[in-house]
């Protein structure tokens, strides 16, 4: 089945850009998602990209997709302390029930 | 705009006790899911319900049962709790679109 991998931890200074990376294994994945989880809360959908797109921008968020390498990244511009959270990458392959989540990357923003 | 509501938020059980985690959504979504979240392991799917009246096993179904009571409600039951079931449990729902899942705020369960 699908395997989604992320690094566990990223630390950045406030005001810098953050780049969180993700790799997936199923080349037939149709949608790729980024979720944010704040302490004590559930996951919140941040953005998603369809597999026929290379890039998607949404305010401070930029998603890049390299389908050949099965690599997804989330760039957060001008990172703020409120961006401190765990970020999950997820890939959907097959039906809408078949979404696989990565282990999450904990983003720490240093003031 | 409640979204997905889970109860309870916290629970402590003794080994061997049973309990039911409740989940309800008000978005008219067809599909509902139960995940568990453990440190370093991300989210693992326990059971899902593609539509009212159907349920299917996910990645880690052993020790759990589910009921899709109606379109809104999907419950998860632990018949005989074990310490290995100590985890944070999330319910989620989705519609027939690309817009991902909507998650509840979770139930933190400790089995002693």
């Amino acid at each position: 089945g699908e395997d989604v991998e992320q690094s566990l931890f990223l630390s950045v200074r406030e005001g810098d850009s953050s780049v969180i990376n993700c790799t997936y294994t199923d080349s037939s994945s149709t949608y790729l998602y980024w979720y944010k989880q704040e302490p004590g809360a559930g996951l919140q959908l941040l953005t998603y990209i369809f597999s026929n797109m290379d890039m998607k921008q949404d305010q401070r968020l930029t998603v890049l997709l390299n389908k050949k390498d099965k690599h997804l990244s989330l760039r957060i511009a001008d990172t703020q302390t409120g961006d401190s959270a765990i970020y999950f990458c997820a890939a959907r392959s097959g039906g809408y029930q078949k979404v696989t989540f990565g282990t999450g990357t904990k983003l720490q923003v240093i003031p | 705009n409640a979204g997905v509501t889970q109860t309870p938020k916290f629970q402590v059980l003794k080994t061997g006790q049973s309990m039911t985690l409740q989940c309800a959504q008000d978005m008219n979504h067809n599909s509902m899911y139960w995940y568990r979240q453990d440190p370093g392991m991300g989210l693992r799917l326990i059971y899902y319900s593609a539509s009212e009246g159907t349920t299917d096993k996910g990645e880690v179904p052993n020790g759990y049962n589910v009921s899709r009571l109606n379109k809104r409600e999907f419950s998860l039951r632990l018949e005989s709790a074990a310490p290995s079931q100590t985890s944070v449990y999330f319910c989620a729902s989705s519609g027939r679109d690309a817009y991902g899942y909507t998650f509840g705020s979770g139930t933190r369960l400790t089995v002693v």
Side-chain angles (χ1 to χ4, degrees), chain A residues 8 12 21-22 24 35 39 69 72 77 102 104:
Chain A
L8 290 180
V12 299
N21 295 301
C22 168
Y24 59 98
Y35 287 83
D69 293 337
L72 183 74

Side-chain angles (χ1 to χ4, degrees), chain B residues 9-39:
Chain B
K9 292 193 181 304
F10 300 94
Q11 185 72 48
V12 178
L13 286 180
K14 293 184 178 178
T15 298
Q17 286 186 319
S18 63
M19 79 161 294
T20 299
L21 281 64
Q22 306 286 353
C23 175
Q25 52 93 8
D26 62 1
M27 295 166 291
N28 202 36
H29 283 166
N30 288 315
S31 300
M32 298 185 74
Y33 314 83
W34 277 104
Y35 284 89
R36 59 179 289 173
Q37 183 180 25
D38 301 291

